[in-house]
Amino acid sequence: MASIDAQLRLIAPGKVSEDDKLVEYDALLLDRFLDILQDLHGEEVREFVQECYEVAADYDGNRNTEKLEELGNMLTSLDPGDSIVVTKSFSNMLSLANLAEEVQIAYRRRIKKLKKGDFADEASATTESDIEETLKRLLQLNKTPEEVFDALKNQTVDLVLTAHPTQSVRRSLLQKFGRIRDCLTQLYAKDITPDDKQELDEALQREIQAAFRTDEIRRTPPTPQDEMRAGMSYFHETIWKGVPKFLRRVDTALKNIGINERVPYNAPLIQFSSWMGGDRDGNPRVTPEVTRDVCLLARMMAANLYFSQIEDLMFEMSMWRCNEELRVRAERQRCAKRDAKHYIEFWKQIPSNEPYRAILGDVRDKLYNTRERARQLLSSGVSDIPEDAVFTSVDQFLEPLELCYRSLCDCGDRPIADGSLLDFLRQVSTFGLALVKLDIRQESERHTDVLDAITQHLGIGSYKDWSEDKKQEWLLSELSGKRPLFGPDLPKTEEIADVLDTFKVISELPYDSFGAYIISMATAPSDVLAVELLQRECGITRPLRVVPLFEKLADLENAPASVARLFSIEWYRNRINGKQEVMIGYSDSGKDAGRLSAAWQLYKTQEELVKVAKEFGVKLTMFHGRGGTVGRGGGPTHLAILSQPPDTIHGQLRVTVQGEVIEQSFGEEHLCFRTLQRFTAATLEHGMHPPVSPKPEWRVLMDEMAVIATEEYRSVVFKEPRFVEYFRLVSS
């Protein structure tokens, strides 16, 4: 094996081209992998893989068909056992090449930022979002610092994490790849010592070999609980600490434009929601029991994260000076604990001149009980911990922390208050007791089946056969009444029981565990009213907001009229209190009409929905169901947000972060930071400097192009008899 010094050349920024840097990263990883391959499978296999690599590289550089034929002959000459090893070797080599490129991109971004203070990708602010550059750009557009600060602290970006089967790389491998990136980055640091280099080289070899020895494919499909745990791991590893770190950067950016005030800890700048365990549209494995489990699991994880952090905070809060309000509270709590049977050694060890620790000690006890109660409910369905011993609302949790913050500020210790305590307050405000709010998604036809069973059981006909007007009339009559609609004698199929049991789970769990109830394939006001009625009938005292999802081309075209009819209903206007959320789907619309036509219709639909909402005095929040690939609505986040129609965001944005791109968005600390920055900066810029509407002649041209594009797309996808066979061949 070549020595690490022979492989590494310490590079001073600016003295070696970026392409040379990439070659060096790539060469080191390739050399280490081939050494490992030789140790595991012998020199002959190493030489064969290396020869294949060189032939493939020669073909790639010259497009020499003779080289391609030579490579084919080499591979077909292998016996089955060796072919598996060679195939897996090339798969790992490609992954390592991607890692080298990622590290090189990160290096390039750092160097360009240091040299120019500029954006790294395409050297253009149109493809990236730096929060400080965005603030400065808004000032150049004649916005005052106070206007920018006011808009920023009142905006909300809700990132909705979804589980998705197209994330094919196992979490175990993703973590190993992350450690390889870290090793490679540290190896090329300017101030690294020879001993450090040797140790990092050994760690690099270890991680490369561990990745090679790890099965790339899941042999069993993950359960919804598995998907939830995988999604929650991102909170534990990057998001939990990433949010306060990002908000501190926002504070710094504000200070640099003349605002000496921090973003309030309870400003809803970033929120998180999830579909993992709540998205039952077409997924029979997402049962009511699964929904219950993932909610309790998330609450247990949240309490555990807080609990592990509160002790560090207590260690820091050793100050004795406090205001009278906190001193009285601390003494009262100390006396109560002393008189209690469970007065423990922990409380005896807190001196009377450490009032902050006394207050936080009580928070610590309640967090422990909150975690244990969720754990017991998750494992057995019952808990012996009473509710008065746990936190049941985020306001309960925030109150003692706010008291500590006020006291520190009152005593001249504002810099201390704005340290770890402020970070903790921001985490509590962002994640609450539930960690993430779970959205429930169900297809509209499933609700129709339930109501049809009810109306037939009541002997008043078939709900399915009724006109839309009759459905609305009956639904509103029941919503305005007080008598129960059905009892335990209602005949239930398995599907009907599943829908009703889901509503029952929602009624039993804490309200803050849930976000929205999303109806896919919504086409009419009755779809929304049906969910409102079922929520009431199943005992949900604080109903979830109901969100219609419009996906296919025809549904998008009809969405404005459908929403207008919904807003025309007085009962519903009173119910929503001037706020409505509407979800638009990118994936199904693209599959239905083609990418161009779908994108244009999504644009027009949003414009019309905003007009309808303004007519009825309703504030509309658009929920964008974007995927990772371009065909599913993916693309550069900054451009995607800035390209939305004027008046459609206004500081309120919900957007899915699909399972296949969660790793790219939150897999590492710097990725988490950039993701939060992109969404926050672009949402602010869109709200304060909205894009210009298309000219009338552009609209006419786009309408004509969309008609032609849809016809051409459907002629291939839906009418070409060989398309399915072709698609299976190229995608298998």
Side-chain angles (χ1 to χ4, degrees):
M1 178 186 294
S3 69
I4 184 66
D5 286 317
Q7 288 294 323
L8 291 176
R9 290 181 293 107
L10 299 183
I11 299 173
K15 292 189 177 181
V16 174
S17 74
E18 292 167 0
D19 289 341
D20 288 342
K21 192 80 170 173
L22 176 58
V23 169
E24 193 167 1
Y25 289 148
D26 207 4
L28 175 63
L29 292 180
L30 177 61
D31 181 79
R32 289 297 174 261
F33 175 75
L34 292 174
D35 286 340
I36 291 166
L37 187 64
Q38 179 173 323
D39 291 342
L40 296 176
H41 295 283
E43 187 174 355
E44 187 176 340
V45 172
R46 175 198 171 125
E47 290 177 352
F48 183 85
V49 168
Q50 193 161 1
E51 187 179 355
C52 287
Y53 179 87
E54 291 168 356
V55 172
D58 196 8
Y59 165 73
D60 186 54
N62 303 312
R63 288 296 187 268
N64 186 337
T65 56
E66 293 180 0
K67 290 293 182 182
L68 185 61
E69 186 176 348
E70 180 184 349
L71 180 61
N73 292 334
M74 292 172 68
L75 295 174
T76 55
S77 68
L78 291 170
D79 62 53
D82 286 343
S83 66
I84 292 174
V85 174
V86 171
T87 302
K88 186 170 176 60
S89 296
F90 271 90
S91 177
N92 275 261
M93 289 159 65
L94 287 170
S95 295
L96 293 174
N98 288 336
L99 292 175
E101 187 172 0
E102 289 172 19
V103 174
Q104 186 258 0
I105 289 172
Y107 167 83
R108 183 181 65 180
R109 183 176 294 114
R110 286 197 306 274
I111 296 305
K112 287 195 174 181
K113 188 73 175 176
L114 286 170
K115 285 181 177 180
K116 306 177 183 177
D118 205 348
F119 294 97
D121 297 335
E122 285 85 42
S124 170
T126 61
T127 58
E128 191 55 89
S129 308
D130 180 282
I131 187 67
E132 186 166 337
E133 293 296 328
T134 299
L135 299 187
K136 290 177 179 177
R137 193 159 54 247
L138 290 172
L139 295 186
Q140 292 170 359
L141 295 169
N142 297 321
K143 307 295 182 183
T144 67
E146 291 72 23
E147 288 173 333
V148 172
F149 180 54
D150 188 59
L152 182 63
K153 69 183 181 182
N154 287 297
Q155 78 173 34
T156 300
V157 174
D158 190 353
L159 303 178
V160 186
L161 277 60
T162 77
H164 205 278
T166 53
Q167 170 53 284
S168 57
V169 183
R170 295 178 60 196
R171 183 72 183 146
S172 299
L173 274 176
L174 291 172
Q175 290 177 337
K176 290 175 176 61
F177 291 160
R179 289 193 287 270
I180 291 171
R181 277 192 296 264
D182 290 342
C183 287
L184 200 58
T185 301
Q186 292 177 61
L187 276 170
Y188 283 89
K190 289 191 298 181
D191 55 355
I192 190 171
T193 67
D195 288 343
D196 288 337
K197 283 192 289 185
Q198 190 61 44
E199 290 168 9
L200 283 167
D201 187 44
E202 291 174 2
L204 185 66
Q205 296 172 55
R206 188 163 52 247
E207 295 298 339
I208 292 174
Q209 184 164 339
F212 184 55
R213 289 294 209 183
T214 300
D215 195 346
E216 296 178 90
I217 302 171
R218 294 187 183 97
R219 299 301 173 180
T220 56
T223 65
Q225 291 94 328
D226 292 335
E227 293 172 338
M228 176 65 171
R229 287 186 179 90
M232 292 303 99
S233 69
Y234 291 98
F235 286 86
H236 186 271
E237 292 167 17
T238 63
I239 298 174
W240 183 259
K241 292 183 179 178
V243 166
K245 179 181 177 182
F246 168 68
L247 292 174
R248 285 196 172 278
R249 181 62 58 83
V250 174
D251 289 339
T252 301
L254 287 167
K255 190 172 183 178
N256 289 339
I257 65 166
I259 297 293
N260 292 316
E261 188 177 347
R262 295 182 182 275
V263 174
Y265 68 83
N266 56 356
L269 212 59
I270 297 289
Q271 301 289 302
F272 291 93
S273 300
S274 171
W275 279 14
M276 300 174 192
D279 183 8
R280 57 223 330 113
D281 184 13
N283 189 348
R285 295 187 302 151
V286 180
T287 63
E289 292 75 21
V290 165
T291 296
R292 175 185 175 278
D293 286 352
V294 298
C295 285
L296 291 173
L297 176 63
R299 297 185 81 84
M300 184 179 73
M301 293 179 70
N304 193 52
L305 286 166
Y306 289 127
F307 183 77
S308 63
Q309 203 162 311
I310 193 71
E311 293 191 326
D312 293 337
L313 189 60
M314 288 179 66
F315 185 78
E316 291 185 31
M317 296 289 107
S318 58
M319 291 70 67
W320 60 269
R321 191 186 298 273
C322 66
N323 64 14
E324 187 64 20
E325 182 185 12
L326 188 137
R327 187 171 299 284
V328 170
R329 171 81 70 85
E331 196 55 41
R332 187 166 64 242
Q333 287 184 181
R334 187 181 301 281
C335 293
K337 293 289 183 181
R338 189 180 296 118
D339 295 339
K341 292 180 180 179
H342 59 277
Y343 181 59
I344 55 176
E345 291 300 318
F346 169 78
W347 277 91
K348 293 178 184 178
Q349 295 167 8
I350 299 180
S352 59
N353 65 341
E354 294 181 350
Y356 294 98
R357 286 181 172 175
I359 298 295
L360 296 177
D362 189 59
V363 174
R364 176 187 180 277
D365 290 349
K366 282 196 172 183
L367 283 172
Y368 177 84
N369 290 334
T370 302
R371 181 187 67 185
E372 291 306 296
R373 179 177 170 82
R375 183 185 61 79
Q376 291 174 4
L377 290 172
L378 182 61
S379 61
S380 63
V382 295
S383 173
D384 58 4
I385 300 175
E387 280 201 1
D388 61 359
V390 304
F391 288 120
T392 57
S393 73
V394 73
D395 290 338
Q396 261 186 343
F397 190 5
L398 283 170
E399 193 272 336
L401 302 174
E402 292 170 331
L403 174 58
C404 291
Y405 189 90
R406 286 198 306 274
S407 176
L408 288 168
C409 293
D410 289 347
C411 296
D413 290 328
R414 181 67 177 262
I416 299 174
D418 284 340
S420 298
L421 179 57
L422 178 60
D423 288 344
F424 197 77
L425 281 162
R426 283 172 164 173
Q427 286 169 320
V428 176
S429 295
T430 300
F431 302 109
L433 294 172
L435 195 59
V436 292
K437 292 183 180 295
L438 183 69
D439 283 358
I440 304 295
R441 184 168 78 131
Q442 183 60 276
E443 201 265 328
S444 60
E445 196 62 31
R446 297 290 296 275
H447 307 129
T448 299
D449 291 340
V450 174
L451 292 175
D452 189 69
I454 292 171
T455 57
Q456 294 205 45
H457 180 62
L458 295 175
I460 58 175
S462 172
Y463 179 84
K464 288 183 178 180
D465 294 338
W466 293 352
S467 66
E468 173 63 18
D469 287 341
K470 186 174 181 180
K471 287 178 181 177
Q472 289 185 36
E473 181 183 359
W474 180 75
L475 290 167
L476 289 169
S477 173
E478 294 298 330
L479 283 165
S480 301
K482 295 183 179 180
R483 65 177 177 83
L485 186 57
F486 62 89
D489 60 335
L490 175 69
K492 302 173 187 174
T493 64
E494 186 176 339
E495 290 78 12
I496 290 173
D498 181 83
V499 173
L500 293 175
D501 288 346
T502 298
F503 282 111
K504 184 173 175 57
V505 166
I506 296 171
S507 71
E508 293 170 347
L509 291 173
Y511 170 77
D512 63 351
S513 289
F514 298 99
Y517 194 106
I518 298 160
I519 313 169
S520 56
M521 299 301 171
T523 58
S526 61
D527 293 328
V528 175
L529 297 176
V531 174
E532 295 284 5
L533 179 59
L534 291 174
Q535 287 196 87
R536 193 199 72 177
E537 289 300 314
C538 294
I540 301 175
T541 55
R542 298 181 67 180
L544 277 59
R545 65 184 187 276
V546 183
V547 179
L549 165 56
F550 301 102
E551 300 177 84
K552 294 190 175 181
L553 187 64
D555 294 337
L556 287 168
E557 291 172 342
N558 296 328
S562 179
V563 170
R565 291 181 67 186
L566 187 62
F567 290 164
S568 299
I569 300 170
E570 184 179 1
W571 180 93
Y572 188 74
R573 288 202 311 277
N574 294 334
R575 156 77 175 93
I576 61 176
N577 195 27
K579 295 179 181 179
Q580 177 66 49
E581 184 177 318
V582 172
M583 184 173 183
I584 51 175
Y586 288 67
S587 180
D588 280 359
S589 58
K591 287 182 283 190
D592 179 43
R595 187 71 191 96
L596 173 70
S597 303
W600 179 233
Q601 188 57 54
L602 285 162
Y603 188 96
K604 293 194 296 181
T605 297
Q606 288 186 75
E607 287 183 315
E608 293 301 317
L609 286 171
V610 167
K611 288 180 183 177
V612 169
K614 284 182 177 179
E615 288 175 11
F616 288 91
V618 174
K619 183 178 181 180
L620 193 68
T621 297
M622 301 302 307
F623 182 6
H624 298 263
R626 300 177 70 227
T629 62
V630 173
R632 301 182 62 241
T637 298
H638 186 92
L639 285 176
I641 294 174
L642 292 186
S643 64
Q644 300 306 310
D647 298 326
T648 57
I649 292 183
H650 267 319
Q652 299 288 324
L653 177 68
R654 285 196 98 209
V655 61
T656 54
V657 182
Q658 297 282 0
E660 76 270 28
V661 296
I662 292 178
E663 174 67 21
Q664 300 168 31
S665 301
F666 298 107
E668 296 184 56
E669 287 185 15
H670 73 96
L671 295 176
C672 176
F673 181 88
R674 290 180 64 207
T675 297
L676 299 179
Q677 182 168 246
R678 281 183 184 132
F679 280 103
T680 301
T683 301
L684 178 67
E685 186 169 351
H686 186 283
M688 299 200 74
H689 183 58
V692 179
S693 295
K695 296 178 181 179
E697 56 268 31
W698 294 357
R699 291 179 179 276
V700 172
L701 181 59
M702 283 299 299
D703 286 338
E704 293 174 355
M705 291 170 63
V707 170
I708 297 170
T710 300
E711 291 176 354
E712 291 297 320
Y713 171 83
R714 290 177 173 175
S715 70
V716 175
V717 175
F718 298 115
K719 298 178 182 178
E720 170 55 62
R722 297 169 297 170
F723 175 75
V724 173
E725 179 186 0
Y726 159 79
F727 188 76
R728 284 176 175 165
L729 285 172
V730 298
S731 60
S732 60

